[in-house]
Amino acid sequence: MAAPNGFIFPVTVVLVASVSSASALDRAGAIDVAKRQVESRCTTTTPCSFDAQVHEGNWHVRVQFTKRNAPQEKPLPYSGG
């Protein structure tokens, strides 16, 4: 998906890890699973932030991706809903 200059598309990925015996048992474990899933998109150049919450027995991890308009600019989060 290409974005025109100056316009940033909202991108949010929700990864769900079940709280069963083989899945992430705590917040840090759920975030680690999500980090492995998006490791190619979250780099030192475009870092991501992670937030995990339990909902109905499952971990829901929100990944906030960032974007740079130029290499010298600081990474900005995608805006929007």
Side-chain angles (χ1 to χ4, degrees):
M1 178 185 320
N5 266 347
F7 187 74
I8 301 173
F9 289 102
V11 175
T12 302
V13 172
V14 177
L15 302 171
V16 178
S18 176
V19 186
S20 66
S21 60
S23 298
L25 299 176
D26 61 3
R27 184 177 190 276
I31 290 174
D32 286 341
V33 169
K35 284 181 179 179
R36 286 193 301 265
Q37 294 293 316
V38 297
E39 67 185 343
S40 64
R41 297 187 61 193
C42 300
T43 65
T44 55
T45 306
T46 55
C48 299
S49 61
F50 297 84
D51 183 37
Q53 296 180 349
V54 176
H55 179 68
E56 296 179 1
N58 293 318
W59 283 101
H60 294 255
V61 179
R62 181 178 180 273
V63 181
Q64 177 68 56
F65 294 99
T66 58
K67 175 183 175 179
R68 289 182 191 242
N69 292 323
Q72 69 276 12
E73 290 183 3
K74 76 176 207 173
L76 302 170
Y78 284 109
S79 60

